[in-house]
Amino acid sequence: GDSVTQMEGPVTLSEEAFLTINCTYTATGYPSLFWYVQYPGEGLQLLLKATKADDKGSNKGFEATYRKETTSFHLEKGSVQVSDSAVYFCALSDRGSGNTPLVFGKGTRLSVIA
Amino acid sequence: DAMVIQNPRYQVTQFGKPVTLSCSQTLNHNVMYWYQQKSSQAPKLLFHYYDKDFNNEADTPDNFQSRRPNTSFCFLDIRSPGLGDAAMYLCATSRDRDMAYEQYFGPGTRLTVT
């Protein structure tokens, strides 16, 4: 079945550091890829998405590029802030599997310290 | 603002006592989802409604039921809560099943079973 694997957390960074959170996937069809963010005590929010190979999703300084050849969708940000502290979930939806809802990775907790 | 609303935000119930969680949306989306999220884990899809069409995940226990009386509202019923059902329950919507349309999440209801 479809699955998403993301790097184990927690990740602790100093403010203004560079962030990478790795995400790889397996899918039987041609998935759309997403990064969701969950701030403490809140529900998930869509951070960015990409629907086809080589697409780059971006939002709030975060970026991720859909790499079909490496089945990856790594999240990056050049300079993190304390307010970026949250749990980040990589997810896919595989249209080839017929309206399959989102499959999430286990999440990576990011803590940014001043 | 259009949004997904969940009530209550915190719910305490006794072991074996039925409980209902509520979700409403002002987005007029066709699809509504219920997820269970346990501590430090990814959200796990329980079921979803595409309009009035109910879709249960294969591994969702019979103890969990859902109702969608109209487009705007969806309820999660837990008939006999066990200690293992303590979790955050997330409601989400999407415009359609094609997941190029992202899911919009509510803030969640944290369920405690005593």
Side-chain angles (χ1 to χ4, degrees):
Chain A
D2 297 345
S3 67
V4 174
T5 303
Q6 56 183 112
M7 64 187 288
E8 296 278 335
V11 174
T12 302
L13 294 173
S14 297
E15 212 166 19
E16 299 183 3
F18 184 86
L19 169 70
T20 300
I21 301 178
N22 290 337
C23 172
T24 58
Y25 68 90
T26 58
T28 54
Y30 197 155
S32 295
L33 302 174
F34 306 84
W35 277 100
Y36 280 82
V37 59
Q38 187 174 31
Y39 297 103
E42 298 184 12
L44 279 70
Q45 302 174 26
L46 179 68
L47 181 60
L48 52 85
K49 67 180 180 184
T51 57
K52 62 182 186 294
D54 300 325
D55 267 3
K56 178 186 283 188
S58 61
N59 186 25
K60 299 181 181 179
F62 291 90
E63 293 183 339
T65 301
Y66 189 143
R67 301 287 188 200
K68 191 177 180 189
E69 64 276 13
T70 55
T71 62
S72 65
F73 193 55
H74 305 320
L75 182 68
E76 296 181 338
K77 186 174 184 182
S79 176
V80 294
Q81 305 299 314
V82 172
S83 57
D84 294 327
S85 298
V87 180
Y88 292 82
F89 292 93
C90 186
L92 70 80
S93 176
D94 189 349
R95 289 166 283 172
S97 297
N99 298 318
T100 303
L102 287 170
V103 175
F104 287 95
K106 291 186 176 181
T108 302
R109 182 176 298 278
L110 170 67
S111 295
V112 180
I113 54 177
Chain B
D1 288 342
M3 58 187 359
V4 181
I5 302 161
Q6 291 188 245
N7 286 307
R9 293 292 307 274
Y10 301 91
Q11 176 74 57
V12 180
T13 191
Q14 293 177 339
F15 182 94
K17 184 176 181 181
V19 65
T20 295
L21 309 182
S22 170
C23 177
S24 64
Q25 54 126 344
T26 60
L27 298 160
N28 203 34
H29 282 176
N30 286 325
V31 193
M32 296 187 76
Y33 309 81
W34 279 105
Y35 291 86
Q36 179 192 64
Q37 185 182 23
K38 296 189 175 180
S39 181
S40 302
Q41 295 185 21
K44 177 179 178 299
L45 182 66
L46 296 174
F47 25 60
H48 74 276
Y49 273 95
Y50 176 64
D51 195 11
K52 295 180 181 179
D53 181 27
F54 178 70
N55 298 268
N56 198 34
E57 294 300 298
D59 57 354
T60 298
D62 292 341
N63 197 27
F64 291 86
Q65 304 287 321
S66 185
R67 296 170 283 135
R68 189 179 186 186
N70 53 53
T71 300
S72 300
F73 285 87
C74 195
F75 300 98
L76 169 62
D77 301 309
I78 309 176
R79 293 192 297 187
S80 181
L83 297 178
D85 296 327
M88 176 76 86
Y89 289 88
L90 298 169
C91 175
T93 73
S94 67
R95 188 177 305 169
D96 211 327
R97 275 175 162 168
D98 180 347
M99 290 310 297
Y101 296 108
E102 64 263 27
Q103 290 189 18
Y104 294 79
F105 282 80
T109 295
R110 183 167 297 283
L111 178 68
T112 300
V113 181
T114 61

